[in-house]
Amino acid sequence: MPPLINVSAAITSPMLADQFAVIRRQQTVGTNGRASFITTNVPNLSGVVYPSSKNDLERFPNFQVTGKTITVITRFALRGESEVAVTDYAPDIVQWHGDSFVVAALEDWSAFGPGFVFALCSSQDFKDVPPTTE
């Protein structure tokens, strides 16, 4: 039995929604075995975006890096690694608040409202933009 609550109004509310962009990457493999990408930019998307864990400092002998992960709930059909009619796609890249995040986990949430996806996205930047205080 599907859930009896539709959360569409809450998730699309301007009070919760944020703007982000997506870079969709179609992958082709050349005769040399190396992948190349044809990218499509999709600007001005809307959804609920919030920080997730794991955002811990990792220390290595020669450098340190703080991981950054976000959760995105949106009606835009984000993609993970996928194939459609013999066309391969690399996971989408979500651009939010000056940082780039690759879709690491994706769940179909359409039972909670038509067309919703839930994505965990990990930063692919070596150094992220610091939080603002304004």
Side-chain angles (χ1 to χ4, degrees), residues 14-81:
M15 294 177 71
L16 293 176
D18 203 349
Q19 296 292 310
F20 61 93
V22 167
I23 298 174
R24 174 127 316 149
R25 302 176 297 156
Q26 181 180 344
Q27 181 175 318
T28 57
V29 179
T31 56
N32 60 0
R34 293 188 179 180
S36 61
F37 300 99
I38 299 168
T39 61
T40 304
N41 294 319
V42 184
N44 303 320
L45 296 171
S46 180
V48 176
V49 183
Y50 57 90
S52 299
S53 61
K54 170 177 187 221
N55 297 323
D56 300 337
L57 176 68
E58 294 185 52
R59 297 181 61 121
F60 299 95
N62 296 325
F63 69 97
Q64 58 190 9
V65 63
T66 301
K68 194 171 182 181
T69 307
I70 60 171
T71 296
V72 180
I73 303 170
T74 183
R75 278 196 167 128
F76 181 76
L78 291 169
R79 289 180 188 244
E81 187 75 23

Side-chain angles (χ1 to χ4, degrees), residues 5-9 12 74-76 108-117:
I5 186 169
N6 183 334
V7 297
S8 301
T12 57
T74 183
R75 278 196 167 128
F76 181 76
D108 177 4
W109 271 25
S110 58
F112 298 100
F116 281 104
V117 295

